Every structure is written in structure tokens, then in C-alpha cells.
């Protein structure tokens, strides 16, 4: 079978794409810090370019942007420190009391249905005294012991934590040259159309990032104020952490919810804390899912609320957690592609008859 030049060119591009996907799949464990660094470089390079445009040396611009980013990430993570430092002593005091209360209230109720449950209060107290009364040296010894058991995982985490900032630094330093070299690889006959498509995708992804940041700030304020209205001592760190961690779908919200439930149970030692968290986080989840993300993110990238919800569900079903994480950015690129295909279709003889 003889192929036309256009068909040969199409098959060549398909072969290149298949080879690239196969290489990515084979090298996935090694490529993780490089992919993360590339995504961060894409998000942070506009700030570097603005500083460079104001005649700040590029090296200093990159260092300033990267240091600010690392400090911001560490600040979000350190929000957990006051939560843990306050909750651990309360946990040590309240767990035996809560277990005893469950024995007195829950056990008789379950017995009506033939379920006989009796908590071992003495065993629980012994567990609390053994683990929650441990000092820093004991905790450190436990961590090191665990590290020896799962050393490869720990080394991988530490290696990525060190490698990602290094990759990010070099990518930010060389970003203009990398863009020029990438553009030089585009076939000259397709240069204008490809660069136009990429520019439109760049604008779309920028709007997505700004919309997502706005959602995070609104939710951080909402959760902090909502928990404060219910008289939570840890309202500010728990609320701000939950709002900012929303960027990681499900996991961020779930961790914030767990911290809030612990704070409520330990502070109030009653159902009041659980009900308060259910009210604040229930309203927050509804507002975020049905209003904030569709309006502030979806509309910015040209997707109506139903399309945003469908994209999150579809990508989550197909690719799991990673799919939810990339659903809206990939959808933004697909929106640009669909617009281009629609324009080509409307201009084709097939449509015009």
C-alpha cells in the first residue's frame, strides 16, 4: 500500500508521540522531580520575567522568587505545628475520658441491636502513656527506626525534596533559552498556528492559576472565620491550612477536616465540636464545589459549572487522584483545542456543503 506524503507525515508524528509516551512511562519514577520542577517553573517564571524586566539580575530574580515560594510552602506546612503542639497534650488527657464515655453511652445502645462492644479502658490508657507521653528523643528514635524499615521510601522523599528546588532553579534560569529551542523544533510551515495555539493555552492556564489562587484565599478566610464563630481555639491555623491545601483535591480538604475534628473533640469533649465542624466544612465544600470553582475557575477558562463538575468526575474516574489534580488544567488546554477544531470545521467544505 502506497502512502501519500500527508499520511506518511501523520504516521511519523503518531510514532514520535507513541515513543515519547513509552519513554515517559518507563522513566516515570526518575522523571517525577523533573516534571514537578517543570510545572513549578511554568507557574513561577512570569514573576522572574517581571523582575528581570525591571533590570534585576536574572540570578537574583530566580533566587528571590524561589526563596519566596519555598518559604510560602514551609509556612503552610508549619501551620500544622501549633495544631499538633496544642492537640497532643489535649489528646493525652481526653482519649481515656472519651473512651470511657463511649463505653457508657454507645455500648448500651449497640447492645439493643445485638452488637456487644466494650472498650479496654486500661489498655487505652497504657497506650496513651506509652506513646503520647514520649519526649522528643523517644519520638526521634521511633522515626529513625521507621526510617530503617522503609529506608528506600524515605530516601526517595528526601531526594525529591532536594532535587526539585535544584531543577526549578536551573529551569527558571534557562527558561527563555528553553522556549526558543522548543520553538526552533516546530516545523516552519506550522510555526504560526502552533505558536498561536500555545499562546492561547498559556493565557488559559494563567487564568486557571489565578482563579485557583482566589478560591484558596476565599476558603482560607471562610474556614478560619467559620471555626472562630464556633469558638475554636485553633480556628486560624486549621482554617488557613484547610483553605490553602484545597489546591490538592480531596487530600487537602480531608487533612484539614481531620485536624478540625480532632480540635473540636479535644477542646469541647462533646458532640458540639463535631456538629460545628460538620456545619462549617459542609457549607464550605458545597460552596467550593458548586459556586467558587465553577465560577472563579471554570468561567475564567471558558467552562460552565456543569462542564467543570463533569471534568472533575471524568478525570477522577479515569486516572484517580492524579486525574482530579490535572482535570482543570488539561480541560483548559482541551477547550483551546476544541475551539480550534470547531473553527476548522465551520470553515471546511464538509460544513459548508
Amino acid at each position: 500500500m502506497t502512502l501519500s506524503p500527508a499520511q506518511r507525515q501523520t504516521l511519523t508524528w503518531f510514532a514520535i508521540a507513541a515513543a515519547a509516551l513509552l519513554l515517559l512511562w518507563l522513566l516515570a519514577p526518575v522523571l517525577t522531580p523533573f516534571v514537578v520542577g517543570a510545572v513549578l517553573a511554568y507557574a513561577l517564571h512570569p514573576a522572574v520575567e517581571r523582575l528581570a524586566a525591571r533590570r534585576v539580575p536574572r540570578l537574583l530574580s530566580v533566587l528571590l522568587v524561589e526563596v519566596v515560594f519555598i518559604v510560602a510552602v514551609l509556612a503552610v506546612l508549619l501551620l500544622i505545628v501549633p495544631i499538633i503542639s496544642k492537640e497532643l497534650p489535649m489528646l493525652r488527657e481526653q482519649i481515656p475520658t472519651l473512651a470511657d464515655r463511649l463505653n457508657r453511652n454507645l455500648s448500651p445502645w449497640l447492645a439493643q441491636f445485638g452488637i456487644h462492644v466494650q472498650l479496654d479502658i486500661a489498655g487505652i490508657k497504657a497506650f496513651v502513656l506509652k506513646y503520647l507521653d514520649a519526649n522528643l528523643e523517644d519520638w526521634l528514635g521511633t522515626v529513625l527506626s521507621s526510617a530503617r524499615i522503609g529506608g528506600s521510601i524515605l530516601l526517595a522523599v528526601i531526594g525529591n525534596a532536594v532535587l526539585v528546588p535544584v531543577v526549578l532553579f536551573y529551569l527558571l534560569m534557562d527558561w527563555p533559552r528553553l522556549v526558543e529551542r522548543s520553538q526552533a523544533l516546530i516545523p516552519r510551515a506550522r510555526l504560526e498556528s502552533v505558536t498561536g495555539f500555545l499562546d492561547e493555552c498559556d493565557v488559559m492556564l494563567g487564568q486557571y492559576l489565578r482563579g485557583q489562587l482566589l478560591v484558596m484565599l476565599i476558603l482560607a478566610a471562610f474556614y478560619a472565620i467559620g471555626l472562630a464563630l464556633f469558638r475554636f481555639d485553633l480556628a486560624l491555623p486549621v482554617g488557613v491550612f484547610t483553605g490553602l491545601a484545597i489546591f490538592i483535591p480531596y487530600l487537602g480538604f480531608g487533612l484539614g477536616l481531620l485536624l478540625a475534628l480532632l480540635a473540636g473533640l479535644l477542646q469541647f469533649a462533646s458532640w458540639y465540636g463535631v456538629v460545628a465542624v460538620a456545619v462549617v466544612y459542609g457549607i464550605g465544600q458545597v460552596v467550593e464545589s458548586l459556586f467558587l470553582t465553577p465560577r472563579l475557575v471554570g468561567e475564567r477558562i471558558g467552562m460552565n459549572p456543569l462542564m467543570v463538575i463533569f471534568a472533575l468526575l471524568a478525570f477522577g474516574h479515569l486516572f484517580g487522584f492524579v486525574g482530579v489534580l490535572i482535570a482543570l488544567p488539561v480541560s483548559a488546554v482541551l477547550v483551546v483545542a476544541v475551539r480550534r477544531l470547531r473553527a476548522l470545521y465551520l470553515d471546511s467544505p464538509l460544513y459548508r456543503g
Side-chain angles (χ1 to χ4, degrees):
M1 183 178 63
T2 304
L3 298 176
S4 66
Q7 289 173 328
R8 284 198 298 270
Q9 188 180 40
T10 302
L11 286 175
T12 301
W13 282 114
F14 271 116
I16 293 173
L21 289 174
L22 178 61
L23 188 63
L24 287 174
W25 181 70
L26 292 173
L27 296 177
V30 179
L31 289 175
T32 299
F34 295 92
V35 173
V36 173
V39 172
L40 293 176
Y42 173 79
L44 296 176
H45 87 90
V48 174
E49 302 307 330
R50 289 192 188 97
L51 289 174
R54 296 183 178 182
R55 297 185 178 181
V56 178
R58 189 166 190 87
L59 176 61
L60 182 58
S61 302
V62 171
L63 289 174
L64 284 173
V65 170
E66 188 164 357
V67 167
V68 169
F69 172 74
I70 293 173
V71 169
V73 172
L74 290 176
V76 174
L77 294 176
L78 289 176
L79 284 172
I80 301 178
V81 173
I83 301 172
I84 294 176
S85 63
K86 188 174 181 65
E87 286 188 354
L88 277 180
M90 295 171 66
L91 197 63
R92 186 173 58 244
E93 297 171 3
Q94 292 291 343
I95 279 182
T97 305
L98 291 173
D100 185 53
R101 186 174 299 174
L102 281 174
N103 259 349
R104 286 187 283 105
N105 298 326
L106 188 62
S107 295
W109 181 74
L110 290 175
Q112 299 175 5
F113 304 97
I115 302 173
H116 300 282
V117 176
Q118 192 73 20
L119 297 177
D120 182 8
I121 304 299
I124 292 173
K125 287 182 178 179
F127 176 86
V128 169
L129 290 174
K130 180 179 180 181
Y131 291 100
L132 296 185
D133 267 347
N135 54 30
L136 181 61
E137 290 77 9
D138 295 332
W139 279 98
L140 186 59
T142 303
V143 170
L144 291 175
S145 177
S146 300
R148 285 193 292 271
I149 296 171
S152 59
I153 298 175
L154 182 65
L155 286 175
V157 172
I158 294 175
N160 287 337
V162 173
L163 192 55
V164 167
V166 175
V167 172
L168 177 60
F169 173 80
Y170 284 108
L171 287 176
L172 288 175
M173 283 294 296
D174 295 334
W175 192 265
R177 286 189 292 273
L178 290 172
V179 172
E180 291 177 5
R181 291 171 185 169
S182 300
Q183 288 179 343
L185 296 175
I186 300 173
R188 299 298 93 181
R190 299 281 184 266
L191 180 60
E192 185 176 350
S193 60
V194 172
T195 53
F197 174 77
L198 294 176
D199 289 341
E200 196 171 343
C201 290
D202 184 55
V203 171
M204 190 76 73
L205 289 173
Q207 291 173 340
Y208 162 76
L209 290 173
R210 287 190 291 272
Q212 188 65 43
L213 180 60
L214 190 56
V215 170
M216 291 161 57
L217 294 176
I218 291 173
L219 287 175
F222 170 80
Y223 286 123
I225 294 171
L227 292 175
L229 291 175
F230 282 98
R231 305 192 309 277
F232 275 64
D233 293 338
L234 296 171
L236 184 62
V238 173
V240 172
F241 176 83
T242 305
L244 297 182
I246 289 293
F247 187 77
I248 306 173
Y250 300 134
L251 181 61
F253 176 81
L255 184 55
L257 177 63
L258 179 63
L259 292 174
L261 283 173
L262 275 175
L265 281 172
L266 296 176
Q267 180 180 341
F268 301 105
S270 68
W271 288 105
Y272 175 83
V274 177
V275 173
V277 171
V279 170
V280 174
Y281 279 69
I283 294 174
Q285 185 68 3
V286 170
V287 170
E288 187 266 333
S289 300
L290 300 182
F291 296 99
L292 291 180
T293 296
R295 299 294 179 186
L296 297 180
V297 179
E299 290 186 355
R300 283 171 177 256
I301 61 178
M303 297 174 66
N304 63 44
L306 286 179
M307 290 175 64
V308 172
I309 296 170
F310 174 78
L312 291 170
L313 293 175
F315 276 83
H317 175 72
L318 293 173
F319 305 108
F321 170 72
V322 176
V324 175
L325 195 62
I326 65 172
L328 292 182
V330 173
S331 297
V333 176
L334 290 177
V335 166
V336 178
V338 169
R339 286 177 184 170
R340 294 296 183 96
L341 291 174
R342 182 176 181 273
L344 289 173
Y345 168 69
L346 294 178
D347 195 42
S348 68
L350 179 63
Y351 174 77
R352 291 180 295 176

